[in-house]
């Protein structure tokens, strides 16, 4: 369920006293430590999946998306925001516990780099 030595499992368990924007029985959201936009948060499940490709619970995935929407709302960016799920190293994934980036507070460019 949780993976030893996984940073995000530890965060979800409250090991670092992270301030959660939202906490439910299934997921937490919190501010990204290295924000790439004026508002940048992450939504992560409490149980461990390496990436979207390992995510075998579509119902939980739906809850995470709803959590991302609610996180955007709580942070006041609900009218303009971007959700990102980097999957695989070459796509920019650096933490191998699935997470949804919630980005906003500035105009976004397309296509992303
Ligand atoms: P990714 O590159 O898509 O795997 O995203 C990982 C994200 O986790 C990056 O945006 C990091 O800035 C963020 N991150 C890494 N360590 C922490 C931490 N301790 N607290 C909050 N965010 C973190
Ligand atoms: Zn984990």
């Amino acid at each position: 369920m949780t993976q030893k030595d996984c940073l995000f499992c530890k965060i979800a368990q409250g090991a670092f006293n992270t301030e959660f924007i939202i906490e439910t029985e299934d997921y937490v959201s919190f501010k990204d430590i290295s924000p790439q936009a004026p508002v940048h948060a992450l939504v992560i499940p409490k149980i461990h999946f390496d990436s979207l490709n390992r995510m075998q619970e579509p119902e939980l995935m739906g809850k995470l998306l709803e959590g991302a929407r609610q996180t955007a709302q709580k942070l006041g960016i609900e009218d303009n925001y971007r959700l990102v799920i980097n999957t695989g190293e070459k796509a920019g994934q650096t933490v191998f516990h699935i997470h949804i980036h919630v980005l906003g507070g500035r105009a976004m460019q397309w296509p992303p780099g």
Side-chain angles (χ1 to χ4, degrees), residues 1-3 6-10 47-49 96-98:
M1 282 307 203
T2 61
Q3 188 161 296
C6 170
L7 174 65
F8 281 6
C9 279
K10 288 180 186 159
I47 62 176
H48 182 93
F49 298 93
F96 286 80
H97 175 129
I98 189 174

Side-chain angles (χ1 to χ4, degrees), residues 2-113:
T2 61
Q3 188 161 296
K4 211 170 149 249
D5 299 330
C6 170
L7 174 65
F8 281 6
C9 279
K10 288 180 186 159
I11 286 178
Q13 287 159 26
F16 305 118
N17 288 322
T18 306
E19 190 178 332
F20 296 139
I21 300 158
I22 298 178
E23 178 173 18
T24 72
E25 61 180 330
D26 299 302
Y27 64 82
V28 297
S29 64
F30 54 93
K31 290 197 171 152
D32 195 292
I33 202 169
S34 173
Q36 302 302 310
V39 178
H40 185 177
L42 301 170
V43 184
I44 68 172
K46 287 187 171 176
I47 62 176
H48 182 93
F49 298 93
D50 287 352
S51 74
L52 183 61
N53 289 348
R54 295 290 179 88
M55 185 87 195
Q56 284 144 358
E57 294 196 27
E59 199 175 313
L60 177 56
M61 201 60 224
K63 289 179 181 175
L64 295 184
L65 268 180
E66 172 63 10
R69 188 184 70 77
Q70 286 184 19
T71 296
Q73 200 165 27
K74 275 214 160 185
L75 295 174
I77 56 164
E78 66 273 17
D79 291 337
N80 297 282
Y81 61 98
R82 180 174 291 175
L83 303 183
V84 173
I85 303 175
N86 294 324
T87 306
E89 262 175 52
K90 285 184 187 158
Q93 187 175 4
T94 59
V95 177
F96 286 80
H97 175 129
I98 189 174
H99 48 281
I100 303 177
H101 294 262
V102 181
L103 297 142
R106 65 167 166 80
M108 298 287 169
Q109 296 188 338
W110 193 263

